[in-house]
Amino acid sequence: MEIDKAIGESDDKRLKTKYNNAIFVIKRALALYSIEEVAFSFNGGKDSTVLLHLLRAGYFLHKKELSCSNGGLSNFPVRTIYFESPSAFTEINAFTYDAAQTYNLQLDIIRQDFKSGLEALLKANPIRAIFLGVRIGDPTAVGQEQFSPSSPGWPPFMRVNPILDWSYRDVWAFLLTCKVKYCSLYDQGYTSIGSIHDTVPNALLSVNDTSTKDKFKPAYLLSDGRLERAGRVKKIASNKNDVDSDSQKHEVLLASVIAVGDEILSGTVEDQLGLSLCRKLTSVGWSVHQTSVLRNDIDSVSEEVDRQRSTCDMVFIYGGVGPLHSDVTLAGVAKAFGVRLAPDEEFEEYLRHLISEQCTGDRNEMAQLPEGITELLHHEKLSVPLIKCRNVIVLAATNTEELEKEWECLTELTKLDGSSSLMELYASRRLMTSLADVEVAEPLSELGLEFPDIYLGCYRKSRQGPIIICLKGKDNARIDSAVQALCKKFKEGVFVDVK
């Protein structure tokens, strides 16, 4: 069979691994279900084109093992489903019908919505499993495994996902290595094809030449697979979790800081990151609710993250991030949110650019992130993006210099997208006095009642040293008013401003 032969002759070890794993899944499904009980959902896109040829190869190898014959593939009896839509590109329709004729597909054309059409199809046929070209990174991939039952409320069938862990690069490596036809739109700069209403050529493939206006390079020349969907037109929706600067103008936001590392608890390493992070958060007006140091244990991380994320506006966690057995932070965060760790194609592309061939193989443990809740925060100064899981920020810094860089990028990013008030600096003043604690205790309590929007804090650098009173808020005028009100309660000159 030409597909199996082409892969066998390839020097691409990663592609061979991906291919062999996909073929195993296909052969497993064909062993579990009869040919009448399986179907293939084909939509003419690059992913389902890959799956078409994998199914042809898998069916050939399955039959070959059963009959011990070396004969060729005379037919492909797997029922093929095509959901035809009026909003589909004409090129997609043309390619689909051409492929059906070329490979003698038993094509069932459905002109209803996916769910209704599927219900009618399964009612009329004994289909128990459907092969899908779903990849991690697709919106529908969340929570799926290579064999996953259909979702509640849908007709019952087994979803079979042979290429679930394939990347954009893997898809094109397969298509080009096997030299199979694909939809012509991919040669016109389209990298991810939806409907005619939400798909345009990927601007990153635009040819920068005045003599070739509106010309684009083919999709396989997109070097960065994480930007595959840059050609999809996105709808801008409001985020209910966004911080409204007006409604929360005087609200103090709470942060929690979590360090993960046995080396900190044993005293082998001094934790400088926690101290630095608390200072940075305080400088931009956040109140640090709690700091904690945890051992390298998934359950310990999970329990602490779950507790802090429900009481704080933002949780910052560092340490325990990487491929070592002791790096349990991301697994703990995933468990706290009740999700699994899954390969993230976009993050894997960053790692591939960073560590090159060390990032090859069937799976890259460092590229597994909490599924369905992870947002990657990109910045040109960072070699890999920051990881944000709902209201948990995972920092990769191992020293204060790296933290400084990540913090700078984080605050710039929150300025750009308006999703956080991290950059809304608080006004603050510090007063020093030689008064005794008992002399300032009651006046400060009264001041707190009079100015509830002002944070009041007191500390001494030494037991015999002066008291330092901190006043923080989001309004300079309010801070000044609070200072004046406090000074009126005492003789002139009792309080001195501290820079």
Side-chain angles (χ1 to χ4, degrees):
M1 207 275 179
E2 73 278 8
I3 299 298
D4 193 61
K5 183 174 183 292
I7 297 297
E9 294 175 350
S10 171
D11 294 328
D12 190 335
K13 293 181 180 180
R14 177 189 171 96
L15 178 59
K16 285 183 176 180
T17 300
K18 298 287 185 178
Y19 171 79
N20 289 332
N21 289 345
I23 292 297
F24 176 82
V25 173
I26 291 168
K27 289 164 65 177
R28 179 64 177 159
L30 294 176
L32 290 171
Y33 305 100
S34 69
I35 203 68
E36 294 79 20
E37 293 175 326
V38 298
F40 162 45
S41 180
F42 185 52
N43 63 14
K46 64 184 185 302
D47 298 338
S48 64
T49 300
V50 167
L51 184 53
L52 166 63
H53 295 289
L54 287 172
L55 285 171
R56 292 178 62 240
Y59 178 71
F60 164 76
L61 294 170
H62 173 68
K63 295 295 288 183
K64 180 180 176 181
E65 290 177 0
L66 291 179
S67 63
C68 299
S69 169
N70 292 320
L73 181 64
S74 58
N75 60 16
F76 180 67
V78 178
R79 181 184 296 274
T80 305
I81 313 164
Y82 178 53
F83 288 84
E84 189 178 83
S85 168
S87 61
F89 284 86
T90 55
E91 292 89 345
I92 285 286
N93 284 330
F95 172 74
T96 301
Y97 296 131
D98 181 63
Q101 184 176 2
T102 301
Y103 301 109
N104 194 26
L105 305 180
Q106 298 181 24
L107 198 63
D108 284 330
I109 302 173
I110 299 176
R111 295 182 173 86
Q112 297 173 272
D113 66 88
F114 194 83
K115 186 176 183 181
S116 300
L118 205 55
E119 288 174 343
L121 181 72
L122 268 60
K123 187 176 181 180
N125 299 277
I127 296 172
R128 296 175 58 199
I130 299 178
F131 291 100
L132 301 169
V134 173
R135 288 190 291 118
I136 287 294
D138 295 343
T140 58
V142 176
Q144 290 204 48
E145 301 287 350
Q146 290 172 322
F147 287 85
S148 287
S150 55
S151 302
W154 283 71
F157 67 94
M158 181 63 70
R159 294 175 288 190
V160 184
N161 304 308
I163 63 170
L164 188 65
D165 63 345
W166 284 44
S167 70
Y168 182 85
R169 184 170 65 96
D170 297 328
V171 166
W172 281 110
F174 178 89
L175 293 173
L176 297 176
T177 298
C178 297
K179 299 179 181 178
V180 295
K181 289 184 178 180
Y182 51 82
C183 179
S184 61
L185 289 174
Y186 293 111
D187 285 333
Q188 300 171 33
Y190 291 83
T191 53
S192 177
I193 300 174
S195 76
I196 57 175
H197 304 298
D198 67 1
T199 310
V200 296
N202 194 321
L204 296 166
L205 293 174
S206 178
V207 176
N208 297 320
D209 189 340
T210 55
S211 64
T212 55
K213 185 179 180 182
D214 297 330
K215 293 291 184 179
F216 295 85
K217 293 177 284 188
Y220 59 78
L221 291 180
L222 182 68
S223 60
D224 203 340
R226 59 196 160 143
L227 301 172
E228 171 187 359
R229 290 182 173 268
R232 291 296 188 99
V233 180
K234 297 181 179 179
K235 295 180 180 179
I236 300 175
S238 59
N239 186 343
K240 292 182 180 180
N241 294 323
D242 286 353
V243 178
D244 187 312
S245 60
D246 291 327
S247 63
Q248 298 194 5
K249 185 175 181 180
H250 297 296
E251 183 177 344
V252 176
L253 298 177
L254 298 179
S256 179
V257 176
I258 301 174
V260 179
D262 291 344
E263 65 279 5
I264 300 174
L265 290 171
S266 66
T268 305
V269 173
E270 184 179 358
D271 179 26
Q272 293 292 332
L273 296 184
L275 178 63
S276 179
L277 191 54
C278 287
R279 286 173 175 168
K280 292 180 183 302
L281 285 164
T282 303
S283 72
V284 293
W286 284 65
S287 175
V288 179
H289 172 69
Q290 180 177 328
T291 65
S292 53
V293 181
L294 310 177
R295 59 194 180 93
N296 296 335
D297 175 71
I298 293 176
D299 289 335
S300 297
V301 174
S302 171
E303 291 169 6
E304 186 67 11
V305 170
D306 188 42
R307 181 164 49 249
Q308 297 303 330
R309 74 182 178 91
S310 60
T311 58
C312 294
D313 297 285
M314 195 70 74
V315 178
F316 295 84
I317 187 168
Y318 58 91
V321 179
L324 301 176
H325 73 282
S326 58
D327 294 326
V328 299
T329 295
L330 287 171
V333 171
K335 188 172 182 178
F337 284 97
V339 301
R340 66 172 185 173
L341 283 179
D344 187 285
E345 181 179 325
E346 181 181 358
F347 199 62
E348 184 174 5
E349 285 296 324
Y350 274 104
L351 294 176
R352 184 171 68 84
H353 286 289
L354 180 65
I355 58 179
S356 187
E357 293 306 314
Q358 297 177 46
C359 194
T360 61
D362 174 30
R363 288 210 173 188
N364 177 11
E365 295 299 323
M366 288 182 68
Q368 295 197 60
L369 302 177
E371 186 183 33
I373 62 169
T374 298
E375 176 187 356
L376 297 179
L377 304 179
H378 311 280
H379 195 286
E380 59 183 6
K381 294 181 181 178
L382 297 176
S383 54
V384 293
L386 294 168
I387 299 169
K388 180 175 181 289
C389 301
R390 302 277 173 81
N391 65 333
V392 177
I393 300 287
V394 181
L395 299 169
T398 59
N399 56 55
T400 53
E401 288 184 5
E402 292 175 358
L403 178 63
E404 188 70 36
K405 186 176 181 180
E406 290 187 6
W407 178 261
E408 178 185 347
C409 295
L410 177 62
T411 51
E412 285 185 20
L413 289 168
T414 55
K415 262 186 174 181
L416 292 173
D417 64 16
S419 63
S420 170
S421 63
L422 264 177
M423 287 305 297
E424 189 173 349
L425 294 175
Y426 267 33
S428 65
R429 283 182 68 176
R430 289 194 302 162
L431 305 175
M432 183 172 66
T433 180
S434 58
L435 292 172
D437 293 3
V438 293
E439 294 179 275
V440 297
E442 187 174 342
L444 284 176
S445 296
E446 294 173 354
L447 190 69
L449 295 174
E450 187 179 351
F451 295 87
D453 55 310
I454 301 298
Y455 166 79
L456 296 174
C458 299
Y459 68 93
R460 293 178 186 272
K461 291 185 177 181
S462 67
R463 174 48 54 192
Q464 302 301 321
I467 299 174
I468 307 295
I469 301 172
C470 301
L471 299 93
K472 296 182 182 180
K474 291 188 177 180
D475 190 325
N476 273 303
R478 289 284 291 172
I479 292 288
D480 292 339
S481 296
V483 170
Q484 291 174 12
L486 178 62
C487 290
K488 287 180 180 178
K489 299 177 184 290
F490 297 91
K491 294 180 180 179
E492 187 177 349
V494 167
F495 297 100
V496 179
D497 273 292
V498 180
K499 298 295 185 182

